[in-house]
Amino acid sequence: MTSAADTRPDRPRRPSRPWGPRSVLGRLRGSLPFAAAARGAVALALPLLVGLATGWVVLSAIAAIGALWGVSQDGSDPYRVRVRRLGWTGVSSALGLLAGEVALRSGEQAAVAGCLVAAALVAGGVGLRGRIASVSGMHLLLGVTIGSGIPVPGPWWQPPLALLAGVALVLVLSAAPWLWRRHHVERAAVLAVYRSAGEALAAAGTGAAEEARLRMTLALNHAHEVMAPRLAPRGRRQRDETGDLVRAFHYAVRLGEAVTAVVWEGRALPPALTDVPRHLAGRLLPDRLAAPEERAAPAPVTGSPGRRALAELVAAVDGEPDGTDLELRLPAHEGPGRAARLRYALLLAGCVLAAHVLAEVLHRPRGYWLPMTVAFVYKPDFGPLFPRALHRCVGTIVGVAAIGAVSSAASGTYAVVGVVAVFGALMAVGVRHHYALATLGLTAVVFVLLDLLGDHRPLYGTRVVDTALASALVLVAHFAVWPDSAAHRAEAQTEAAVAAARRYRDAAPEAGPAQRQSLRRTAYHQLAEARRTVAHARREPARRGRPLPDWESAITAAEQLCDQVTAHVVAGAPRPVR
C-alpha cells in the first residue's frame, strides 16, 4: 500500500522563515486587554485612596508598590496558575522587603551590600528553574532593593504586610471572575483550536495552508498547556465539572491529526468538510456557539484518507461517547544545567553588587534605582537580553517625559491618584504586548509613589542615566562572560525537537491512538519551543566571525517529517516514513 504522502500532488512549499509562536498566540488572545487594564487602574488607585482617607500615606504607597508588582505578573492564565504566581510574588517580595529593611536599620553598609548579594544569589539560583521560581526570585531581589534603599518609619513589620496586601489586592481582582466563569480560560483555549482548524481546512490547497496549519498547532499547544492540570491523573477527581471540556480537548487533538493530513494532501475541500470543526465545537461545547440551525451535521464525504478521517470524527462525536481518555502529558521542562544556573547566579550577584557600589558613589543615600534596574533587566529566561535592556531604556525615557509633563499639569492629590490609575492601566496593557510600554507605565507610577514616600528630589534625568548605566552594566557583564548562552539554549532545544520528531516517526505506525497522539503532541511542543529559543538567539548580538547555524531549516524539516508521518498514519500505511 502506498501512503498519502507518496501519492499527494505538488503542494506549496513551506516557507523557510520561522513563524513566531508569540505573534500567532497574540492573535488567539484577542485585542487590547481591557479587563486587565481596569484591574491595573483599580489595584493602584485603591490603596492610595485608602491612604488618603486614613492618613496612612506612606503605608499606602508601599501597598501600591506591591500592587504594581502584582500587576506586572497578572496574566490571562487559568485562575489556579494566577493564584500560584501572584501568591509567590507577594510572599517573596514581602520577605525581601523585610530582609532589606532589617539590613538598612542596622546602619551598616556592609549589611546592606551583603543582603543584596545574598538575595541576588538566591534569585539567580532559582531564576532558571521555571516561570514561578524565576518570578519569585526576581521579586525577592526587588523587595531587598526597595527595603534597603527606602527608609520607612514605624514598626518593622508594617511595610512587608502593606506590600503583601497590595499584591493580595491584585490577586483578588484577577481571580474574582472564577466565581462566575470558572473555566472560561480553558474553554476559550479549546474553542480557539476548533476555530483555527476551520481556518486551516478552508486554506487547504492554497499557499496559506501551511501557515494556517501552524496556527492550529500552536493553538493546540496552548490549549494543551492550559488543560494540562485537567488531564493529569489527579485531575480526574474534578472531571464532573470539566468532563465536557476534557472530551472536547481530546477530540480537538484528533481533529488536529486529521487536519494535518488534509493539509499535507494539498487539495481544496468542499464546504461540507470545512465546516466540520464548527460542527464539532457546536456538539461538544454548545452553549456559547452559534444558533442550533448552524450545527447540522456535514454530509459524509469519502475520498482521500484525510477526508475520511474528518468524516469518521464527525460520526464519532455524533454517536455515543467512546470513553476516549488520552491522558496526554506535557513534555518535561528541561532547563539549563547546574553549571549554567551557577554562572547566572554569580553574574547576577556581581552585577547587583557593582550597581550598589556605583549607586553609593553617585547617589548616596537612596541609590536603589541602579540595582533595581539590574534585577528587572537581567532575566535571560524572559527573552532576549539585548532587546530587553534597550526597551527598558526607551520605556524609562518616555515614562520620565510623560510623568514630567503630566505632573506639571495635574494639581491636587486626587488628580495624582488618577494619574497613577491611568499609568497603571497602561502598564497592564504593556505587560501583555510590549516590555517598553510596561516600563513606561511602571516608571511613571514609581515616580509618583516615591514622591509620596518623601523623595522630592528632581530625579528625572538621574533616573534615565541610572537606567542606561545599569543596562550597560548587565550587557557588558553578560556578553563578556557568557556570550553564547542563548545560542547554546537554541542548539539544545533544536536537538531535542528533532529527536522528538524522529521518535514520533519511528513509533507512530505501530503505536496505539493514545501513545501516537502523545508522541505527536510532544514533538510539536518541542518544535514550537525550539522556534521560540532560536528566535531569541537571533535577536541577541552575534559574535563577529561566528554566525549562528541554520537551525530554522532543521526545525522546518522536522515539522515536515511530523506532517508526513501524520498523513502516513491516517492513510493506514504499514511502514514508517523514512
Side-chain angles (χ1 to χ4, degrees), residues 96-323:
L97 182 67
L98 176 60
E101 187 184 12
V102 170
L104 181 64
R105 294 192 181 201
S106 71
E108 298 291 338
Q109 287 301 314
V112 172
C115 188
L116 282 169
V117 170
L121 287 172
V122 173
V126 303
L128 303 181
R129 292 179 176 269
R131 177 74 180 186
I132 291 181
S134 179
V135 166
S136 300
M138 181 179 72
H139 284 89
L140 175 72
L141 179 55
L142 289 173
V144 170
T145 302
I146 296 297
S148 62
I150 302 179
V152 179
W156 60 269
W157 50 269
Q158 286 184 346
L161 285 182
L163 189 77
L164 186 60
V167 180
L169 174 61
V170 179
L171 190 155
V172 170
L173 293 174
S174 181
W178 176 85
L179 296 174
W180 61 86
R181 53 175 195 176
R182 296 191 177 186
H183 310 299
H184 169 76
V185 176
E186 292 90 339
R187 184 187 188 88
V190 174
L191 284 175
V193 179
Y194 287 93
R195 286 196 300 269
S196 59
E199 294 171 0
L201 290 178
T206 70
E210 292 302 328
E211 181 183 356
R213 199 281 305 160
L214 183 54
R215 286 200 301 269
M216 180 200 67
T217 300
L218 292 175
L220 193 49
N221 287 349
H222 179 60
H224 193 177
E225 293 168 359
V226 168
M227 291 292 296
R230 311 292 177 188
L231 304 174
R234 61 182 180 182
R236 292 180 180 178
R237 302 170 188 171
Q238 303 172 351
R239 292 289 172 87
D240 292 341
E241 296 183 4
T242 60
D244 290 342
L245 266 177
V246 171
R247 183 168 179 254
F249 173 75
H250 288 154
Y251 276 108
V253 172
R254 295 167 61 179
L255 175 64
E257 183 178 59
V259 171
T260 300
V262 168
V263 171
W264 180 263
E265 291 164 1
R267 297 185 181 93
L269 295 180
L273 284 184
T274 58
D275 285 341
V276 163
R278 185 174 62 175
H279 167 72
L280 296 180
R283 290 299 306 270
L284 296 166
L285 299 171
D287 53 332
R288 288 192 185 179
L289 225 66
E293 60 268 21
E294 296 183 7
R295 301 188 201 129
V301 178
T302 59
S304 69
R307 298 185 182 198
R308 290 198 300 271
L310 287 174
E312 291 169 3
L313 199 56
V314 172
V317 172
D318 288 339
E320 293 295 325
D322 58 3

